[in-house]
Amino acid sequence: MKRILSGMQPTSQLHLGNYLGALKNWVAFQDDPNAQCLYCVVDLHAITASYEAANLANATREIAAAYIAAGIDPDKSSIFVQSSIPEHSQLMWLLATMAQMGKLERMTQFKDKAGKNAERAGLGLFAYPVLMAADILIYKATHVPVGEDQKQHLELARDLASTFNTRYGVDFFPQPEPVIAGVAPRVMSLRDGTQKMSKSADSDMTRINLTDTPDMIAKKIKKAKTDAEPLPENLAGLDGRPEALNLITLYAALADKSKEEVLLHFAGKQFGQFKPEFIDLAVEKLSPITTRMNEFMDDPAQIDSILSDGSEKARSIASEVLAKTQEIMGFYS
Ligand code: TYM
């Protein structure tokens, strides 16, 4: 039996990178009869950066709405909020005693987010990957579908699982497998093909959000950076052309095709011919998700009820795993 766990932060709108790099792949797991899927909104991670307290609960609902709108079916998967399961934070502390500072210091996401001001970064930002390991291990998850940028964090989770097992002489936590799948595990900015598409980039023109209207999608694609060359007939012809590669990758991922197939279709054409087709495809694939998301957001009570059901199922696993972990560690009970 596989157990699948993943999550997204309610920091701001989800974008095409979140959707193609992760969420779209989560949906596929639901039809595996041997897989149990758990998808959470990681609000405790979101507060490691500055955030609006007045907006957090709504942003959390919005991510849940995006999950459902993108095809996560609450009858097949448990959808829940990280902070509603206190066992995540409890296991985090236990794992924190085994996490090495040196390894945490090497985490590229910490270095990027802390920037030059690492001395003033919060302990929560530093310990972020330990909480992520707890999110995974508290369910003894076997598979974790994420975008490529989470690979290093997953390595830490694997490391902590084996450190625990070795230290206590048990075979308790499985090694969680990162599942970095699909055509677009690393979606790049629309304005700079060497930078990751990200929620934190200053300009909204760098990303397509799941809440964008068709007009906004069209405007962003029209303004997306390209080069002057026509599209090549094979992948080798995209070498050194990061923006062209990114747009072809996005097209392929949205069309459920390979990049090679997309290139065969566009070989020799200019971006002026590619972009209108890309706009039509993006609007066709994304606007039903946006519409469903908006419908769910108009009915927060329904989202709350889905989250409450999901939380009940998740908690029954988490409380058992925590109790067993504490027993292995020798705690008084
Ligand atoms: P977050 O909220 O930054 O991103 C959510 C998911 O989207 C993927 N992603 C991308 N994929 C491709 N291209 C991009 N440009 C891009 N940007 C984001 C991320 O890889 C991720 O899969 N630490 C995690 C959240 C987390 C988590 C967990 C994930 C907390 N606990 C446990 C899995 C399991 C994060 O910050 O994701």
Side-chain angles (χ1 to χ4, degrees):
M1 189 77 187
K2 295 178 203 159
R3 192 170 280 155
I4 320 301
L5 178 287
S6 201
M8 298 204 180
Q9 300 186 64
T11 30
S12 65
Q13 314 293 349
L14 291 187
H15 54 67
L16 206 49
N18 301 127
Y19 176 58
L20 297 176
L23 192 45
K24 196 163 180 269
N25 302 325
W26 298 4
V27 177
F29 275 110
Q30 296 184 118
D31 297 320
D32 181 343
N34 292 318
Q36 180 184 17
C37 300
L38 299 148
Y39 297 125
C40 64
V41 183
V42 291
D43 53 349
L44 295 172
H45 278 108
I47 63 164
T48 58
S50 68
Y51 76 102
E52 295 267 349
N55 204 22
L56 182 63
N58 220 38
T60 300
R61 281 193 193 93
E62 194 165 88
I63 301 295
Y67 289 180
I68 308 163
I72 304 297
D73 177 348
D75 290 331
K76 295 182 185 165
S77 300
S78 302
I79 305 173
F80 61 97
V81 180
Q82 182 191 35
S83 64
S84 66
I85 317 276
E87 286 83 357
H88 289 234
S89 312
Q90 289 173 276
L91 181 63
M92 181 208 163
W93 179 255
L94 305 181
L95 295 175
T97 62
M98 291 164 232
Q100 292 174 6
M101 303 274 288
K103 286 189 179 151
L104 292 175
E105 267 161 11
R106 285 195 288 279
M107 292 286 143
T108 53
Q109 187 167 304
F110 172 72
K111 287 195 251 179
D112 288 350
K113 290 198 174 167
K116 291 192 198 99
N117 244 343
E119 284 291 311
R120 307 183 90 200
L123 176 60
L125 187 66
F126 189 66
Y128 177 115
V130 185
L131 177 59
M132 179 162 160
D135 297 337
I136 297 166
L137 300 182
I138 197 69
Y139 300 104
K140 293 180 147 192
T142 56
H143 295 77
V144 185
V146 282
E148 204 175 81
D149 60 344
Q150 296 301 314
K151 204 169 169 196
Q152 198 187 24
H153 289 162
L154 255 297
E155 272 157 25
L156 186 87
R158 290 167 64 83
D159 196 65
L160 285 170
S162 50
T163 303
F164 180 93
N165 289 346
T166 308
R167 182 170 297 183
Y168 294 98
V170 289
D171 184 14
F172 183 62
F173 287 121
Q175 284 276 295
E177 280 295 326
V179 182
I180 298 169
V183 186
R186 187 171 176 82
V187 171
M188 310 309 279
S189 154
L190 296 179
R191 305 313 297 266
D192 177 353
T194 65
Q195 297 293 316
K196 193 179 71 165
M197 185 178 283
S198 115
K199 295 172 196 170
S200 51
D202 288 340
S203 164
D204 194 52
M205 295 302 283
T206 59
R207 58 186 166 250
I208 293 176
N209 302 308
L210 291 188
T211 46
D212 283 349
T213 60
D215 281 352
M216 285 155 90
I217 294 176
K219 185 170 160 205
K220 288 176 179 179
I221 294 177
K222 277 186 201 146
K223 296 226 165 188
K225 187 174 171 198
T226 53
D227 55 40
E229 301 294 314
L231 284 159
E233 62 192 17
N234 56 35
L235 276 176
L238 291 175
D239 279 354
R241 300 174 65 185
E243 286 81 18
L245 173 62
N246 189 40
L247 293 179
I248 292 296
T249 304
L250 293 177
Y251 190 105
L254 284 169
D256 287 313
K257 291 194 168 136
S258 67
K259 286 182 266 194
E260 288 83 355
E261 280 175 277
V262 176
L263 284 179
L264 282 182
H265 177 64
F266 287 107
K269 295 189 182 157
Q270 298 288 342
F271 283 100
Q273 286 165 283
F274 169 83
K275 281 188 171 180
E277 280 193 49
F278 182 33
I279 291 172
D280 288 347
L281 174 70
V283 169
E284 177 202 321
K285 297 287 178 175
L286 300 178
S287 56
I289 300 180
T290 313
T291 307
R292 279 201 296 273
M293 245 179 102
N294 291 337
E295 284 164 9
F296 275 109
M297 285 308 283
D298 285 342
D299 189 0
Q302 194 190 352
I303 301 179
D304 292 345
S305 144
I306 289 170
L307 289 173
S308 151
D309 286 352
S311 176
E312 212 173 294
K313 288 189 209 130
R315 190 144 194 212
S316 69
I317 305 172
S319 58
E320 219 173 278
V321 174
L322 182 69
K324 188 70 195 162
T325 309
Q326 288 169 330
E327 187 192 316
I328 292 170
M329 292 179 75
F331 279 97
Y332 170 83
S333 68

